[in-house]
Amino acid sequence: MNYQFLWDNMIISSIEEVEQAAQLILKGKDIYEEIVKDTKVPWWFIGVTHYRESTCKFNKHPHNGDPLSKKTTHVPAGRPIKGNPPFTFIESAKDLYFSLKKYDTYEDWNIPSILYRLEAFNGMGYSKRNIPSPYLWNKTNHYKIGKYSSDGVYDPNLVDKQVGTAPLVRMLTDKTLGLV
């Protein structure tokens, strides 16, 4: 995928839905900032993945939306590896973003790198099909139809309902960081 080209040519198709999702993420900004403290990981990266995985619910694992009352049962199962339930959201998030994904080791947070990490976070199945991922591009001109209904099961007629991470990054960085 040419992430920079897609980013440069992205048109948000539902500003109102993206703004509503961005407002939901902004409510957790202090928590996301606490998670990424002393790293180069942008707080909004945590926010947009948290939105996609559990609609910003702080009683769910950010890995996949499983309840914090036990270790994850869905992919990735058995997380967090250290500690015993119930887990706090911050404990679980640090397990995901730093122990499992190791995002704190990355120096480069430019747009192509961010978009690649977001797609990889969800899985590269769309890229292997050479189609834009709804995880990134829903509510933009780059996505219309087709979605994995579960791990490894692609439905060409299924339509994603959540806002994609790319328009959320655009909205959050435009409004709060001035990066774009």
Side-chain angles (χ1 to χ4, degrees), residues 71-91:
K71 289 186 182 272
T72 59
T73 56
H74 294 92
V75 175
R79 303 301 300 205
I81 293 194
K82 295 180 182 174
N84 294 305
F87 298 99
T88 67
F89 179 80
I90 291 176
E91 288 172 318

Side-chain angles (χ1 to χ4, degrees), residues 36 39-46 97-98 103-106 109:
V36 300
T39 75
K40 293 186 181 205
V41 180
W43 70 266
W44 41 262
F45 185 88
I46 308 298
Y97 297 105
F98 308 138
Y103 289 130
D104 56 330
T105 65
Y106 294 106
W109 287 90

Side-chain angles (χ1 to χ4, degrees), residues 123-135:
M124 300 304 286
Y126 297 99
S127 185
K128 290 176 184 173
R129 292 175 173 274
N130 203 30
I131 56 175
S133 168
Y135 194 88

Side-chain angles (χ1 to χ4, degrees), residues 24-32 35 46-47 50-51 54-62 66-68 87-90 92-93:
L24 191 59
I25 293 166
L26 284 168
K27 288 180 183 178
K29 182 179 178 186
D30 291 345
I31 295 168
Y32 305 137
I35 292 163
I46 308 298
H50 185 215
Y51 165 78
S54 68
T55 322
C56 297
K57 292 183 175 97
F58 287 97
N59 63 343
K60 308 275 184 188
H61 285 287
D66 286 345
L68 289 170
F87 298 99
T88 67
F89 179 80
I90 291 176
S92 184

